[in-house]
Amino acid sequence: MTLEATRDAAPPPAAKKPEFLNSSALRWLKRVAGLLIAVLLLWALAYALVPIIAKSQIEKLASEKLGRQVSLGSIDFKPWSLELTLNDLVVAEAALAADAVPQLSIKRIY
């Protein structure tokens, strides 16, 4: 083969990309990754904010509706399984004396 013959010959075919690296597959992979990140971010925000907001709203609204002081120890919330636990719920008597016990005291509501 001469030099001219090698120039005229077709170049070797380019290596094909694997099927999973085509543009539509990459687009879907990016969408799935974005959705996963969004769900994880939503869970993190819910885990941090739901207990704070729920505690203040429960105490405020329950006190208004019952006409008595309502206090709540803590709230545990797990957004990935939608579990909510209220700890140390206390409803005071209508006229609370210094030595009076609460009218209602619940240690845990799951």
Side-chain angles (χ1 to χ4, degrees):
M1 226 187 209
T2 64
L3 185 57
E4 289 179 14
T6 58
R7 276 191 228 146
D8 294 336
K16 282 185 125 181
K17 289 183 180 178
E19 181 64 31
F20 66 89
L21 289 180
N22 65 16
S23 63
S24 66
L26 282 176
R27 210 170 328 145
W28 277 105
L29 185 62
K30 287 179 184 179
R31 288 177 184 165
V32 169
L35 181 64
L36 181 63
I37 290 170
V39 167
L40 291 175
L41 182 62
L42 182 65
W43 278 352
L45 284 172
Y47 183 77
L49 296 178
V50 165
I52 296 168
I53 295 170
K55 180 180 177 182
S56 67
Q57 290 301 308
I58 288 171
E59 288 177 344
K60 177 184 160 191
L61 294 173
S63 294
E64 285 176 11
K65 295 293 181 185
L66 295 174
R68 300 158 193 252
Q69 182 63 34
V70 176
S71 63
L72 187 58
S74 65
I75 294 180
D76 296 322
F77 179 63
K78 296 180 178 88
W80 43 89
S81 59
L82 296 178
E83 295 178 46
L84 181 71
T85 305
L86 306 177
N87 297 309
D88 301 322
L89 179 66
V90 177
V91 179
E93 288 184 0
L96 188 61
D99 59 345
V101 295
Q103 184 173 3
L104 175 67
S105 179
I106 301 174
K107 188 70 176 163
R108 181 174 178 256
I109 300 174
Y110 177 76

